[in-house]
Amino acid sequence: MEREGRPVGAASEELVTIGEFARLSRLSAKALRRYDELGLLRPALVDPVNGYRYYDPAQVEGARLVAWLRRIGMPLNRIGRVVALDAGAAAVEIRAYWARVEAETAARRDLAMYLVDHLSAEGRTMSRMPDNAENTGSSESSGSSESSGRSGSAGAVALAIRCAALTDIGVVRTANQDAAFAGPRLLAVADGFGEGGAEASAAAIEALKPSTWGRDGALSAADLLNALEDTADSAARAVQEAVAPCADPDGSGTTLTAMLWTGSRLGLVHIGDSRAYLLRGGELFRITHDHSLVQSMLDDGSLSPEEAASHPGPALLLKALVGEARPAAVAVACRADVRLREVLAGDRYLLCSDGLSAVVEAADLRAAVVAADDPQEAVRRLARLAREAGGPDNVACVVADVGVEE
């Protein structure tokens, strides 16, 4: 235990002992010694003779901020960055941290609710229509595909999926970092960013392709969720490897929104602010939740939808697949959302990057998706809408129709 004495030095009258500073700051002497060792909160003076620590009363406000940040669970390394900022920048950093906490809590809540449903009535899928839903140039690449299977409904009707994918560079950008894929088992869009954005988006989608996904519904719902988690982790590793050669790999990454057809269910993998929509019964529902700062401010009521549309930082992501190698606990917290979806004949799904959703009004988006006769026409209509709206960003979109197999 550190005993208190009097400091040696000309400014001794202005300093207080560690015990007095602990009372002023509401931090224990043990915590103060720990924060000194970490370089987080240095004493104003360490007596060279006896090693006693002394603090300037002007340090109290900073020390109290450290105590408050610890109470909300902020890691010490992040606290060190926050306390070094001016008040305005610190407020932005704290909001971003808490938005991420809420996003991670929401993802855990969704999984908990699935487990409740699954264990209460084993054999039923988690999703009920529409689960987690919100009513709402030249082609670089395109494709279409068809796959069939059986629905999870009581009638076991054989279903087929017809789909098409397209990316467009837009009007403003000189390079395309978006990627899209529509295949027999996989629908996916990814929006890359940073120096290695194009490599990141391509790698994320490529990592999903080898999966077999329990053909003809052979896997249980629980096994499918585990498989989705494993595949999301594979995509994260693939992105890290893809951007490793970049000068700043931590600044490169991608969003990912993908749906995997099992033959009886669709499994959803989602991270970032690309989106998935469901058209059912003439209504278009958003079935993903953006992992962005603006979305978190909408959720907590600090922004209105009108204010969000003109917010200066709409693309600030709270979760994405990035090149940064993270500690295990952080990596788990930043995993993609995964869930299973009920599939009905007549459903039409849209997956898109924010190059489409951020510039095209929801009503126009719905009108284009409803009016198109087939997925190929739909993706062309959507890319054209984005260009007509100014085309400020790359666009990636996938449209898939679920129908009774002929």
Side-chain angles (χ1 to χ4, degrees):
M1 179 176 178
E2 184 170 329
R3 298 179 59 189
E4 299 176 5
R6 299 304 304 167
V8 176
S12 62
E13 292 80 5
E14 300 176 5
L15 303 181
V16 297
T17 65
I18 189 172
E20 178 61 22
F21 192 74
R23 288 188 287 274
L24 292 172
S25 65
R26 304 296 179 89
L27 288 168
S28 68
K30 180 179 179 180
L32 289 171
R33 287 190 287 271
R34 174 63 173 157
Y35 297 160
D36 179 15
E37 293 169 359
L38 295 173
L40 182 60
L41 187 61
R42 296 288 194 188
L45 173 69
V46 177
D47 194 305
V49 177
N50 52 38
Y52 297 159
R53 295 172 175 86
Y54 296 91
Y55 293 82
D56 190 324
Q59 294 178 273
V60 168
E61 185 174 353
R64 286 175 176 168
L65 176 59
V66 172
W68 294 330
L69 293 175
R70 286 300 290 159
R71 288 179 188 174
I72 66 172
M74 184 177 286
L76 289 173
N77 62 345
R78 190 159 186 170
I79 290 175
R81 297 197 299 271
V82 171
V83 298
L85 300 172
D86 61 49
V92 171
E93 181 72 11
I94 294 168
R95 176 179 287 279
Y97 166 76
W98 192 249
R100 172 171 285 183
V101 170
E102 290 183 327
E104 292 162 1
T105 301
R108 291 194 294 270
R109 179 196 62 219
D110 288 347
L111 179 56
M113 292 302 98
Y114 162 74
L115 292 172
V116 169
D117 286 348
H118 176 67
L119 295 174
S120 299
E122 189 173 353
R124 291 165 50 194
T125 60
M126 177 178 64
S127 300
R128 297 179 177 84
M129 185 325 216
D131 65 342
N132 301 306
E134 301 178 22
N135 199 344
T136 66
S138 63
S139 174
E140 288 293 319
S141 65
S142 65
S144 63
S145 183
E146 183 169 334
S147 179
S148 64
R150 293 192 171 272
S151 75
S153 62
V157 177
L159 298 178
I161 289 183
R162 298 172 59 228
C163 51
L166 180 148
T167 68
D168 186 87
I169 195 171
V171 175
V172 175
R173 299 293 177 88
T174 59
N176 193 349
Q177 294 187 310
D178 282 11
F181 182 84
R185 313 289 287 182
L186 172 66
L187 314 170
V189 297
D191 182 355
F193 55 85
E195 176 191 356
E199 293 79 4
S201 60
I205 292 179
E206 193 65 29
L208 303 185
K209 290 182 182 179
S211 180
T212 57
W213 297 102
R215 293 183 180 276
D216 301 320
L219 295 180
S220 69
D223 288 338
L224 277 171
L225 279 175
N226 288 338
L228 286 168
E229 289 273 10
D230 292 343
T231 300
D233 290 344
S234 296
R237 290 192 296 270
V239 169
Q240 289 183 15
E241 293 172 2
V243 303
C246 297
D248 180 22
D250 293 358
S252 296
T254 186
T255 69
L256 177 65
T257 300
M259 303 192 82
L260 298 112
W261 173 239
T262 70
S264 60
R265 299 182 181 93
L266 278 170
L268 174 67
V269 177
H270 169 69
I271 187 167
D273 63 355
S274 294
R275 293 180 174 180
Y277 295 85
L278 166 64
L279 180 69
R280 182 179 285 178
E283 295 295 329
L284 189 67
F285 302 93
R286 177 151 63 101
I287 58 174
T288 54
H289 198 70
D290 293 350
H291 299 134
S292 67
L293 178 59
V294 166
Q295 182 64 60
S296 73
M297 296 171 74
L298 281 168
D299 293 342
D300 66 20
S302 57
L303 272 186
S304 68
E306 295 74 23
E307 291 169 331
S310 59
H311 193 274
L316 180 57
L317 296 176
L318 301 179
K319 291 171 66 174
L321 303 179
V322 296
E324 178 184 9
R326 294 167 166 171
V330 177
V332 169
C334 294
R335 275 180 173 167
D337 296 344
V338 299
R339 60 175 59 91
L340 303 179
R341 289 204 56 82
E342 173 192 10
V343 180
L344 297 179
D347 287 348
R348 172 170 282 184
Y349 287 91
L350 163 65
L351 282 63
C352 65
S353 62
D354 69 339
L356 177 66
S357 60
V359 299
V360 177
E361 296 289 339
D364 295 332
L365 202 66
R366 176 191 172 278
V369 174
V370 169
D373 290 333
D374 56 45
Q376 193 72 58
E377 180 187 350
V379 294
R380 289 172 179 163
R381 282 176 178 262
L382 293 166
R384 186 166 60 248
L385 279 177
R387 280 184 167 263
E388 291 171 353
D393 199 357
N394 306 149
V395 171
C397 55
V398 169
V399 173
D401 287 349
V402 181
V404 177
E405 186 179 16
E406 296 179 1

